PDB file of all heavy atoms in Angstrom:
ATOM      1  N   HIS S  11     -33.323 -21.284  20.316  1.00  0.00           N
ATOM      2  CA  HIS S  11     -33.916 -20.988  21.550  1.00  0.00           C
ATOM      3  C   HIS S  11     -34.234 -22.156  22.359  1.00  0.00           C
ATOM      4  O   HIS S  11     -35.290 -22.790  22.231  1.00  0.00           O
ATOM      5  CB  HIS S  11     -35.095 -20.049  21.515  1.00  0.00           C
ATOM      6  CG  HIS S  11     -35.418 -19.211  22.684  1.00  0.00           C
ATOM      7  ND1 HIS S  11     -35.417 -18.015  22.739  1.00  0.00           N
ATOM      8  CD2 HIS S  11     -35.788 -19.846  23.989  1.00  0.00           C
ATOM      9  CE1 HIS S  11     -35.719 -17.583  24.164  1.00  0.00           C
ATOM     10  NE2 HIS S  11     -35.932 -18.694  24.805  1.00  0.00           N
ATOM     11  N   ALA S  12     -33.362 -22.555  23.297  1.00  0.00           N
ATOM     12  CA  ALA S  12     -33.565 -23.881  24.139  1.00  0.00           C
ATOM     13  C   ALA S  12     -33.046 -23.377  25.708  1.00  0.00           C
ATOM     14  O   ALA S  12     -32.194 -22.613  25.748  1.00  0.00           O
ATOM     15  CB  ALA S  12     -32.912 -25.016  23.744  1.00  0.00           C
ATOM     16  N   HIS S  13     -33.509 -24.081  26.553  1.00  0.00           N
ATOM     17  CA  HIS S  13     -33.047 -23.840  27.990  1.00  0.00           C
ATOM     18  C   HIS S  13     -32.689 -25.323  28.591  1.00  0.00           C
ATOM     19  O   HIS S  13     -33.388 -25.878  29.363  1.00  0.00           O
ATOM     20  CB  HIS S  13     -34.193 -23.274  28.885  1.00  0.00           C
ATOM     21  CG  HIS S  13     -34.695 -22.033  28.564  1.00  0.00           C
ATOM     22  ND1 HIS S  13     -34.106 -20.763  28.616  1.00  0.00           N
ATOM     23  CD2 HIS S  13     -35.788 -21.649  27.646  1.00  0.00           C
ATOM     24  CE1 HIS S  13     -34.696 -19.835  28.146  1.00  0.00           C
ATOM     25  NE2 HIS S  13     -35.706 -20.300  27.574  1.00  0.00           N
ATOM     26  N   VAL S  41     -30.421 -20.290  26.051  1.00  0.00           N
ATOM     27  CA  VAL S  41     -30.767 -18.979  26.294  1.00  0.00           C
ATOM     28  C   VAL S  41     -30.814 -18.702  27.836  1.00  0.00           C
ATOM     29  O   VAL S  41     -31.564 -19.393  28.478  1.00  0.00           O
ATOM     30  CB  VAL S  41     -31.980 -18.526  25.664  1.00  0.00           C
ATOM     31  CG1 VAL S  41     -32.453 -17.064  25.950  1.00  0.00           C
ATOM     32  CG2 VAL S  41     -31.907 -18.655  24.064  1.00  0.00           C
ATOM     33  N   GLY S  42     -30.122 -17.685  28.330  1.00  0.00           N
ATOM     34  CA  GLY S  42     -30.204 -17.464  29.763  1.00  0.00           C
ATOM     35  C   GLY S  42     -31.595 -16.802  30.096  1.00  0.00           C
ATOM     36  O   GLY S  42     -31.947 -15.747  29.289  1.00  0.00           O
ATOM     37  N   ALA S  43     -32.128 -17.143  31.247  1.00  0.00           N
ATOM     38  CA  ALA S  43     -33.386 -16.378  31.669  1.00  0.00           C
ATOM     39  C   ALA S  43     -33.157 -15.591  32.847  1.00  0.00           C
ATOM     40  O   ALA S  43     -33.977 -14.716  33.231  1.00  0.00           O
ATOM     41  CB  ALA S  43     -34.523 -17.405  31.901  1.00  0.00           C
ATOM     42  N   HIS S  68     -34.589 -12.309  31.917  1.00  0.00           N
ATOM     43  CA  HIS S  68     -35.986 -12.391  31.504  1.00  0.00           C
ATOM     44  C   HIS S  68     -36.779 -11.434  32.312  1.00  0.00           C
ATOM     45  O   HIS S  68     -36.472 -11.161  33.557  1.00  0.00           O
ATOM     46  CB  HIS S  68     -36.314 -13.847  31.721  1.00  0.00           C
ATOM     47  CG  HIS S  68     -37.820 -14.224  31.450  1.00  0.00           C
ATOM     48  ND1 HIS S  68     -38.915 -14.008  32.223  1.00  0.00           N
ATOM     49  CD2 HIS S  68     -38.245 -14.970  30.422  1.00  0.00           C
ATOM     50  CE1 HIS S  68     -39.904 -14.508  31.696  1.00  0.00           C
ATOM     51  NE2 HIS S  68     -39.583 -15.044  30.610  1.00  0.00           N
ATOM     52  N   GLU S  97     -32.780 -13.983  27.241  1.00  0.00           N
ATOM     53  CA  GLU S  97     -33.949 -13.327  26.675  1.00  0.00           C
ATOM     54  C   GLU S  97     -34.313 -12.174  27.563  1.00  0.00           C
ATOM     55  O   GLU S  97     -34.281 -12.262  28.738  1.00  0.00           O
ATOM     56  CB  GLU S  97     -34.988 -14.329  26.445  1.00  0.00           C
ATOM     57  CG  GLU S  97     -35.509 -15.058  27.761  1.00  0.00           C
ATOM     58  CD  GLU S  97     -36.435 -16.159  27.343  1.00  0.00           C
ATOM     59  OE1 GLU S  97     -37.591 -15.940  27.059  1.00  0.00           O
ATOM     60  OE2 GLU S  97     -36.021 -17.388  27.539  1.00  0.00           O
ATOM     61  N   ILE S 133     -32.347 -11.216  21.887  1.00  0.00           N
ATOM     62  CA  ILE S 133     -33.417 -12.144  21.789  1.00  0.00           C
ATOM     63  C   ILE S 133     -34.641 -11.545  22.651  1.00  0.00           C
ATOM     64  O   ILE S 133     -34.399 -11.471  23.753  1.00  0.00           O
ATOM     65  CB  ILE S 133     -33.067 -13.654  22.303  1.00  0.00           C
ATOM     66  CG1 ILE S 133     -31.996 -14.202  21.474  1.00  0.00           C
ATOM     67  CG2 ILE S 133     -34.196 -14.515  22.336  1.00  0.00           C
ATOM     68  CD1 ILE S 133     -31.291 -15.472  21.908  1.00  0.00           C
ATOM     69  N   HIS S 135     -38.154 -11.509  24.452  1.00  0.00           N
ATOM     70  CA  HIS S 135     -39.385 -12.210  24.971  1.00  0.00           C
ATOM     71  C   HIS S 135     -40.357 -11.110  25.241  1.00  0.00           C
ATOM     72  O   HIS S 135     -40.249 -10.146  25.965  1.00  0.00           O
ATOM     73  CB  HIS S 135     -38.979 -12.777  26.363  1.00  0.00           C
ATOM     74  CG  HIS S 135     -40.166 -13.257  27.184  1.00  0.00           C
ATOM     75  ND1 HIS S 135     -40.457 -14.725  27.278  1.00  0.00           N
ATOM     76  CD2 HIS S 135     -41.087 -12.581  27.852  1.00  0.00           C
ATOM     77  CE1 HIS S 135     -41.590 -14.728  28.068  1.00  0.00           C
ATOM     78  NE2 HIS S 135     -42.021 -13.524  28.340  1.00  0.00           N
ATOM     79  N   HIS S 160     -38.748 -13.635  19.741  1.00  0.00           N
ATOM     80  CA  HIS S 160     -38.778 -14.979  20.190  1.00  0.00           C
ATOM     81  C   HIS S 160     -40.235 -15.495  20.513  1.00  0.00           C
ATOM     82  O   HIS S 160     -41.032 -14.594  21.055  1.00  0.00           O
ATOM     83  CB  HIS S 160     -37.802 -15.306  21.230  1.00  0.00           C
ATOM     84  CG  HIS S 160     -38.279 -16.194  22.268  1.00  0.00           C
ATOM     85  ND1 HIS S 160     -38.373 -17.499  22.190  1.00  0.00           N
ATOM     86  CD2 HIS S 160     -38.655 -15.928  23.550  1.00  0.00           C
ATOM     87  CE1 HIS S 160     -38.777 -18.082  23.291  1.00  0.00           C
ATOM     88  NE2 HIS S 160     -38.920 -17.099  24.220  1.00  0.00           N
ATOM     89  N   CYS S 161     -40.569 -16.630  20.064  1.00  0.00           N
ATOM     90  CA  CYS S 161     -41.884 -17.219  20.387  1.00  0.00           C
ATOM     91  C   CYS S 161     -43.085 -16.351  20.005  1.00  0.00           C
ATOM     92  O   CYS S 161     -43.856 -15.945  20.782  1.00  0.00           O
ATOM     93  CB  CYS S 161     -41.985 -17.542  22.028  1.00  0.00           C
ATOM     94  SG  CYS S 161     -43.309 -18.765  22.169  1.00  0.00           S
ATOM     95  N   THR S 209     -37.499 -23.814  19.867  1.00  0.00           N
ATOM     96  CA  THR S 209     -38.364 -24.602  20.648  1.00  0.00           C
ATOM     97  C   THR S 209     -38.921 -23.954  21.963  1.00  0.00           C
ATOM     98  O   THR S 209     -39.999 -24.094  22.291  1.00  0.00           O
ATOM     99  CB  THR S 209     -37.679 -25.981  20.969  1.00  0.00           C
ATOM    100  OG1 THR S 209     -36.639 -25.757  21.844  1.00  0.00           O
ATOM    101  CG2 THR S 209     -37.411 -26.809  19.855  1.00  0.00           C
ATOM    102  N   ASP S 210     -38.090 -23.207  22.661  1.00  0.00           N
ATOM    103  CA  ASP S 210     -38.165 -22.919  24.008  1.00  0.00           C
ATOM    104  C   ASP S 210     -38.299 -23.999  24.982  1.00  0.00           C
ATOM    105  O   ASP S 210     -38.937 -24.012  25.977  1.00  0.00           O
ATOM    106  CB  ASP S 210     -39.514 -21.969  24.189  1.00  0.00           C
ATOM    107  CG  ASP S 210     -39.340 -20.881  25.389  1.00  0.00           C
ATOM    108  OD1 ASP S 210     -38.215 -20.731  25.853  1.00  0.00           O
ATOM    109  OD2 ASP S 210     -40.419 -20.380  25.658  1.00  0.00           O
ATOM    110  N   SER S 211     -37.478 -25.060  24.539  1.00  0.00           N
ATOM    111  CA  SER S 211     -37.521 -26.310  25.409  1.00  0.00           C
ATOM    112  C   SER S 211     -37.091 -25.927  26.850  1.00  0.00           C
ATOM    113  O   SER S 211     -36.171 -25.024  26.891  1.00  0.00           O
ATOM    114  CB  SER S 211     -36.457 -27.241  24.781  1.00  0.00           C
ATOM    115  OG  SER S 211     -36.851 -27.689  23.566  1.00  0.00           O
ATOM    116  N   TYR S 213     -40.332 -26.168  27.192  1.00  0.00           N
ATOM    117  CA  TYR S 213     -41.721 -25.663  27.056  1.00  0.00           C
ATOM    118  C   TYR S 213     -42.126 -25.863  25.570  1.00  0.00           C
ATOM    119  O   TYR S 213     -41.330 -25.966  24.659  1.00  0.00           O
ATOM    120  CB  TYR S 213     -41.971 -24.268  27.531  1.00  0.00           C
ATOM    121  CG  TYR S 213     -41.468 -24.206  28.924  1.00  0.00           C
ATOM    122  CD1 TYR S 213     -40.172 -23.454  29.109  1.00  0.00           C
ATOM    123  CD2 TYR S 213     -42.058 -24.666  30.048  1.00  0.00           C
ATOM    124  CE1 TYR S 213     -39.729 -23.307  30.447  1.00  0.00           C
ATOM    125  CE2 TYR S 213     -41.483 -24.566  31.352  1.00  0.00           C
ATOM    126  CZ  TYR S 213     -40.357 -23.816  31.542  1.00  0.00           C
ATOM    127  OH  TYR S 213     -39.781 -23.758  32.631  1.00  0.00           O
TER     128      TYR S 213
HETATM  129 NI1   NI V 322     -37.136 -19.072  26.627  1.00  0.00          NI
END
Side-chain angles (χ1 to χ4, degrees):
H11 197 118
H13 301 281
V41 180
H68 180 284
E97 55 186 291
I133 297 172
H135 167 107
H160 135 74
C161 197
T209 58
D210 210 13
S211 296
Y213 310 105

